[in-house]
């Protein structure tokens, strides 16, 4: 455009009757034109030089290249480190529980003030053409906990894959996700109540993906059942069994969804917990029996034309049910449980959460989560234990900012009424930073 | 009778002319497979021209497709690193795992530009392997076509002649088109452009366009007002003739700059499907050139 205008100007000048001023203008134009032409030629030469540098030597130079551009780090496993910390404003409550639900223990993130939560170290790699390995360690001050450590088959064929080791169960939607991939700073109350945040097997998982247009996946898992709600002690039997089915697909270019159903059965032996007797005194309980849980989950995602970069919306909900029956004993010197009485125990409890997260502009997301639990029926037989009739609920509101997919800073407000008689406003300011390998997340 | 029935069922389940099921990560490779395989392949693209191939999710529908695929054709060079590994893993399909004949990365057959001197995330979404957007140069497409035709023949050895013939035909038509394009685009040589994302180095190298600035402060990071202001200032010293943006990218940053500088914007289809005319690979380059030539007038 510029060159053409120049040329037109130059022509006009030449066509005009000559005068001293006109001559001067013509010379100026000519110089400008020459300058533009030289610039263009230099640019063209630069481009040719660049091209020559980039051109492969011989046409077959690259056909022999390895297929491992994505795995170009030699034999080293992918390593990623996730830094996660927070500032939490909470009431001073010595032992947090969810009223009406036998506590599962191991709920982190309840420290007040500044804290470094988990630092996660993740290593993964294809072991050989047959297997892939993955390990996730959570580093917390003096301890390292093995969150996951498993291997998985790569090529069983016919849609089958087998995983063995310690792994997060495929039940529900959120269960397989590590805290850094959560949309809120804490796990939903029902996950905390049922699994102490999530359920992990030490065992095996077999999955089958159907060869259908619609995504359809089935899985069965069996493990030692040591993790809550199980408690297997030292047994060679299978202590926990779970199975799940998932279905999903797209609706047009902008919508996609997934729904799932899962069932978990565990046979805890002498599972201990803290409770209150009818007078409100702390007692210990020991449970041996059956624990069954059902989970239904649904997620729906929207992104204009399937491009989530600028705006996208997620709706997600899960419903949980748990039934336990067996023998419960309680103990506590100087309480109603003195003398360790035991009796038949039965409970039917349920709960759900629903959440939505909206990315309204690049880098910024806002989310709302509501959850409600039903302590349901708690039948302690003849034991002198407190059976509260209370429906815990919690509302959380979050706003997060992610300058890139590797960093996120989140502010969360929650009104937590999970403990009877305590109405708590919680503020959490959290960071999640990932270093190293690109952590690709599941849908 | 029962044996006959079983045979019938088997014939129904596996038709003799079973098409090769191909999942292409991007539409340009879906189009290339169609050129090279014709009706022998049943091709689906995992992304559309309206999606950012860096950032999509391994959706259930894609996992279901990958499960049934005989071949995945992707760009590689880290472009799909955020979702392809999950897709391959969740597909439980041994045929398309890395290293198998059913796993084809186009970037393996092209010399990549813009290999970063410094591999650090502080530089934004850089690809250590080089810039992956190779589909904007027809010479690179030709290189990939050659390798892909060989791969298809390897997957279906009894159809090797078919693939060879299709490839020869494609090459003939492609070379003719390339000559036509290069003649038409001669006047673009040396034209200075501003790009929204560094998505076109191969196109610029081919046509001799000169990129003077990008609107993204670092690759993959959203343009900020501060950076756009700096680009506007820099353009005063080193002027450009037009702004280039891919169809899938948000319009705002380039429009902001156009408003302040009066520069025309060329919205390029970037891949097959990015405009009405870019319905196949030939249309992609016809339309790309028309839009560049119109904006550079």
């Amino acid at each position: 455009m510029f060159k053409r205008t120049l040329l037109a100007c130059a022509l006009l000048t030449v066509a005009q009757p000559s005068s001293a001023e006109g001559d001067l203008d013509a010379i100026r134009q000519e110089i400008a034109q020459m300058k533009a032409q030289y610039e263009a030629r230099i640019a063209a030469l630069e481009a040719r030089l660049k091209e020559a540098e980039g051109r492969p030597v011989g046409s077959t130079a690259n056909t022999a290249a390895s297929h491992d551009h994505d795995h170009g780090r030699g034999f080293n496993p992918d390593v990623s480190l996730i830094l996660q910390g927070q500032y939490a404003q909470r009431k001073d409550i010595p032992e947090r529980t969810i009223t009406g639900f036998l506590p599962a223990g191991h709920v982190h993130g309840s420290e007040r003030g500044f804290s470094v939560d988990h630092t996660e170290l993740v290593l993964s790699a294809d072991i050989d053409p047959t297997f892939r390995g993955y390990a996730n360690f959570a580093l917390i001050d003096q301890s390292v906990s093995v969150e996951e450590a498993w291997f998985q088959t790569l090529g069983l064929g016919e849609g089958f894959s087998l995983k063995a080791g310690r792994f997060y169960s495929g039940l529900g939607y959120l269960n397989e996700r590590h805290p850094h991939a959560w949309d809120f700073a804490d796990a939903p109350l029902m996950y905390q109540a049922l699994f102490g945040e999530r359920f992990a097997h030490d065992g095996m998982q077999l999955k089958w993906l159907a060869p259908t247009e619609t995504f359809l996946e089935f899985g069965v898992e069996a493990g030692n059942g040591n993790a809550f709600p199980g408690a297997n002690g030292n047994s060679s039997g299978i202590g926990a069994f779970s199975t799940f089915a998932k279905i999903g697909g797209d609706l047009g270019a902008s919508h996609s969804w997934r729904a799932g159903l899962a069932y978990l059965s565990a046979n805890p032996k002498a599972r201990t917990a803290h409770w209150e007797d009818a007078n409100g005194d702390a007692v210990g309980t020991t449970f041996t029996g059956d624990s069954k849980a059902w989970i239904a989950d649904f997620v729906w995602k929207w992104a204009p034309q399937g491009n989530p970069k600028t705006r996208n919306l997620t709706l997600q909900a899960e419903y949980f049910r748990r039934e336990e029956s067996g023998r419960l004993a309680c103990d506590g010197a100087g309480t109603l449980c003195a003398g360790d009485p035991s009796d038949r125990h039965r409970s039917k409890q349920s709960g759900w959460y629903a959440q939505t997260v909206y990315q309204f502009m690049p880098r910024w997301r806002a989310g709302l989560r509501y959850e409600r639990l039903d302590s349901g029926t708690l039948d302690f037989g003849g034991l002198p234990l407190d059976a509260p009739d209370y429906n815990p609920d919690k509302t959380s509101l979050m706003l997060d900012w992610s300058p890139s997919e590797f960093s996120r800073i989140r502010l969360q407000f929650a009104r937590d009424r999970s403990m009877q008689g305590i109405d708590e406003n919680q503020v959490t300011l959290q960071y999640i930073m990932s270093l190293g390998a690109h952590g690709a997340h599941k849908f | 009778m029962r044996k006959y029935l079983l045979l019938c069922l088997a014939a129904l389940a596996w038709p003799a002319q079973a098409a090769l099921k191909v999942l292409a990560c991007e539409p340009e490779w879906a189009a290339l497979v169609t050129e090279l395989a014709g009706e022998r392949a049943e091709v689906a693209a995992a992304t559309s021209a309206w999606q950012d191939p860096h950032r999509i999710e391994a959706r259930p529908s894609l996992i279901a497709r990958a499960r049934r695929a005989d071949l995945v054709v992707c760009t590689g060079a880290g472009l799909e690193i955020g979702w392809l590994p999950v897709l391959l893993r969740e597909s439980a399909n041994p045929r398309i795992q890395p290293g198998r004949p059913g796993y084809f990365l186009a970037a393996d057959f092209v010399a990549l530009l813009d290999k970063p001197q410094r591999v650090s995330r502080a530089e934004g979404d850089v690809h250590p392997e080089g810039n992956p957007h190779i589909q904007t140069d027809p010479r690179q497409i030709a290189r990939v076509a050659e390798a892909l035709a060989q791969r298809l023949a390897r997957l279906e050895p009894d159809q090797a002649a078919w693939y060879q013939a299709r490839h020869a035909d494609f090459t003939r038509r492609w070379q003719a088109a390339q000559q036509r394009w290069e003649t038409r685009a001669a006047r673009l040589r040396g034209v200075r452009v501003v790009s929204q994302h560094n998505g076109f180095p191969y196109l610029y190298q081919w046509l001799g366009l000169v990129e003077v600035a990008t609107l993204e402060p670092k690759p993959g990071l959203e343009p900020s007002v501060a950076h756009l202001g700096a680009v506007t200032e820099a353009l005063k010293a080193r002027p450009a003739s037009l702004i280039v943006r891919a169809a899938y990218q948000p319009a705002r940053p380039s429009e902001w700059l156009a408003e302040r500088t009066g520069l025309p914007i060329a919205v390029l289809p970037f891949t097959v499907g990015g405009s009405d005319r870019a319905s196949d690979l030939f249309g992609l380059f016809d339309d790309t050139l028309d839009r560049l030539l119109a904006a550079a007038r």
Side-chain angles (χ1 to χ4, degrees):
Chain A
M1 198 173 73
F2 181 55
K3 264 157 62 186
R4 283 210 164 180
T5 322
L6 270 178
L7 206 69
C9 288
L11 280 172
L12 272 173
T13 329
V14 171
Q16 263 169 15
S18 108
S19 70
E21 213 170 285
D23 279 350
L24 212 63
D25 264 356
I27 292 166
R28 279 201 197 107
Q29 294 290 1
E30 214 172 304
I31 291 171
Q33 201 179 337
M34 278 168 70
K35 213 175 142 195
Q37 275 172 357
Y38 273 109
E39 258 182 6
R41 282 178 62 184
I42 288 168
L45 281 170
E46 272 174 2
R48 275 176 62 191
L49 187 71
K50 217 173 161 190
E51 186 180 355
E53 281 170 357
R55 185 177 290 153
V57 188
S59 66
T60 53
N62 280 282
T63 44
S66 79
H67 303 292
D68 282 27
H69 273 178
D70 279 2
H71 306 266
R73 290 163 293 273
F75 293 118
N76 297 331
D78 286 342
V79 180
S80 62
L81 184 77
I82 289 137
L83 307 177
Q84 205 171 323
Q86 64 180 26
Y87 170 80
Q89 205 176 74
R90 301 280 190 276
K91 282 186 176 168
D92 188 10
I93 298 165
E95 193 182 357
R96 285 176 179 269
T97 56
I98 299 168
T99 301
F101 288 79
L102 282 168
H106 179 74
V107 174
H108 71 261
S110 50
E111 257 183 273
R112 303 166 73 211
F114 287 105
S115 66
V116 176
D117 199 1
H118 279 172
T119 303
E120 265 179 66
L121 179 65
V122 188
L123 295 129
S124 71
D126 288 351
I127 296 162
D128 57 20
T130 318
F131 299 114
R132 175 175 175 263
Y134 174 95
N136 182 308
F137 305 101
L139 316 173
I140 317 158
D141 287 332
Q142 277 85 32
S143 73
V144 175
S145 76
V146 180
E147 298 282 296
E148 292 193 85
W150 47 258
F151 71 91
Q152 186 179 29
T153 59
L154 287 171
L156 224 48
E158 302 304 319
F160 285 100
S161 63
L162 189 73
K163 195 189 261 187
R166 174 175 300 173
F167 56 90
Y168 288 176
S169 165
L171 52 80
Y173 179 74
L174 219 49
N175 194 66
E176 272 185 306
R177 265 149 231 268
H178 286 266
H180 70 264
W182 293 348
D183 291 324
F184 290 84
D186 41 17
L189 291 175
M190 233 12 219
Y191 271 106
Q192 295 177 23
L194 290 192
F195 312 125
E197 223 159 61
R198 87 198 29 99
F199 185 70
H201 274 293
D202 283 6
M204 289 169 77
Q205 178 197 61
L206 181 70
K207 282 203 294 189
W208 181 66
L209 184 62
T212 47
E213 194 89 26
T214 306
F215 172 84
L216 197 58
E217 188 183 64
F218 302 92
V220 289
E221 300 165 333
N224 66 4
N226 272 339
F228 188 89
N232 207 15
N234 182 18
S235 155
S236 56
I238 287 173
F241 168 83
S242 48
T243 179
F244 56 83
K246 288 168 188 170
I247 181 168
D250 288 345
L251 281 168
S254 306
H255 306 272
S256 46
W257 60 279
R258 202 194 84 180
L261 264 179
Y263 169 71
L264 166 71
S265 162
N267 306 301
K269 293 184 181 72
R271 188 185 75 199
T272 57
H274 295 279
W275 200 254
E276 283 181 1
D277 70 8
N279 288 341
D281 291 324
V283 297
T285 63
T286 310
F287 173 72
T288 301
D290 295 331
S291 178
K292 297 182 172 73
W294 291 264
I295 302 170
D297 66 271
F298 179 73
V299 63
W300 175 79
K301 294 190 185 190
W302 169 84
Q305 305 278 1
N307 184 4
K309 203 173 173 183
T310 311
R311 285 184 308 144
N312 65 75
L313 179 78
T314 304
L315 288 178
Q316 171 185 330
E318 294 189 70
Y319 174 80
F320 310 75
R321 251 191 109 72
R322 177 167 73 186
E323 288 185 22
E324 292 198 324
S325 66
R327 193 122 201 118
L328 189 73
C330 72
D331 59 84
T335 69
L336 296 174
C337 285
D340 303 359
S342 78
D343 204 344
R344 197 183 49 82
H345 164 58
R346 233 171 231 291
S347 72
K348 278 187 188 176
Q349 307 186 297
S350 64
W352 58 272
Y353 77 87
Q355 69 176 55
T356 177
V357 175
Y358 181 48
Q359 180 178 314
F360 49 96
M361 60 186 280
R363 299 190 283 250
W364 290 90
R365 309 189 312 160
L368 173 68
R369 177 177 71 186
Y370 180 73
E371 35 197 330
R372 191 174 172 84
L373 276 55
D374 182 357
S375 61
T377 55
L378 271 170
D379 173 7
F380 293 119
L383 291 178
L385 294 175
D386 178 40
D389 182 19
Y390 181 67
N391 294 330
D393 81 314
K394 184 174 174 183
T395 308
S396 315
L397 202 61
M398 78 87 186
L399 180 72
D400 66 24
W401 176 66
S402 312
S404 76
E405 63 237 78
F406 304 101
S407 60
R408 177 165 284 167
I409 291 168
R410 175 182 291 143
L411 180 64
Q412 180 173 317
F413 297 97
R415 189 173 178 81
D416 188 350
R417 287 190 291 228
S418 54
M419 295 181 81
Q420 193 166 18
I422 295 175
D423 198 338
E424 187 185 29
N425 288 320
Q426 303 173 337
V427 182
T428 311
L429 183 62
Q430 187 195 25
Y431 64 81
I432 303 162
M433 307 282 156
S434 43
L435 288 69
H438 201 299
H441 287 132
K442 286 182 155 189
F443 176 79
Chain B
M1 182 63 204
R2 232 182 102 196
K3 209 168 147 192
Y4 180 71
L5 202 74
L6 271 174
L7 267 173
C8 261
L9 275 174
L12 275 173
W14 290 282
Q17 287 293 306
L20 198 67
K21 290 193 180 64
V22 183
L23 178 62
C25 284
E26 289 85 23
E28 63 267 19
W29 308 130
L32 187 59
V33 172
T34 305
E35 294 283 355
L36 297 175
E39 68 265 30
R40 287 213 58 80
E42 187 191 310
V43 193
T47 58
S48 79
W50 306 105
Q51 295 170 350
D52 182 343
H54 300 91
R55 289 195 199 166
I56 70 152
E57 283 192 278
R59 302 192 306 278
S61 61
L62 295 182
I63 296 170
R65 274 207 188 121
R67 154 77 166 93
R68 288 171 294 136
D70 300 303
L71 170 68
V72 290
V73 181
C74 297
T75 301
L79 179 64
E80 303 95 348
I81 200 162
W83 51 280
L84 184 60
V86 182
L87 201 62
L88 296 180
R89 230 150 45 216
E90 294 293 308
S91 75
N93 178 352
R95 295 187 297 276
I96 56 168
Q97 298 303 319
R100 305 287 177 105
Y103 178 76
F104 181 93
L105 296 185
D108 284 352
F109 305 94
V110 166
L112 298 179
L113 297 177
D114 298 349
K115 277 200 176 94
Q117 302 288 317
R118 222 165 78 81
V119 179
S120 161
R121 293 251 164 82
E123 302 302 314
D125 193 7
V126 293
H127 298 268
E129 302 88 343
N131 191 302
H133 306 294
I134 54 178
Q135 82 283 4
T136 56
D137 179 348
R139 298 168 304 177
Q140 312 297 357
I141 300 257
R143 289 195 183 110
V144 176
E146 191 186 335
L148 187 55
Q150 282 170 13
R151 185 62 63 86
L152 288 163
R154 193 170 144 200
L155 284 167
E156 289 193 303
D158 51 335
Q159 298 296 329
W162 164 271
Y163 290 117
Q164 209 174 356
R166 298 265 324 181
H167 177 238
D169 175 59
F170 171 74
T171 305
R172 195 176 38 74
R173 287 181 296 130
W174 194 248
Q175 276 170 356
Q178 193 185 318
Q179 243 165 40
R180 194 177 74 230
W181 294 325
E182 280 168 7
T183 313
R184 285 191 59 210
R187 75 175 164 86
L188 290 174
R189 202 153 275 277
V191 170
R192 297 154 68 89
V193 298
V194 181
S195 337
Q196 184 152 328
H197 171 66
N198 64 340
F200 299 95
Y202 298 89
L203 178 76
Y204 299 161
Q205 188 204 50
W206 173 47
L207 297 178
L209 291 158
V210 182
E211 184 176 70
V212 293
T214 55
L215 301 189
E216 290 179 347
K218 308 259 180 189
L221 299 188
E222 291 302 315
S224 62
V225 174
H227 180 71
L228 287 176
V231 170
T232 314
E233 276 307 306
L235 284 177
K236 283 177 187 159
R238 299 190 59 185
S241 307
L242 61 133
I243 306 167
V244 172
R245 178 182 98 222
Y248 75 85
Q249 283 163 337
R252 281 243 303 268
S254 51
E255 278 168 3
W256 189 97
L257 186 70
E259 250 172 56
R260 274 152 189 87
T261 57
L263 291 179
I265 306 174
V267 182
L268 303 187
F270 193 58
T271 181
V272 173
S275 69
D276 287 345
R277 284 186 60 215
S279 57
D280 62 10
L281 285 168
F282 293 89
L284 168 64
F285 284 98
D286 283 336
D287 197 39
T288 299
L289 286 193
D290 281 354
R291 284 163 187 264
L292 280 173
L293 289 166
R297 203 167 26 216

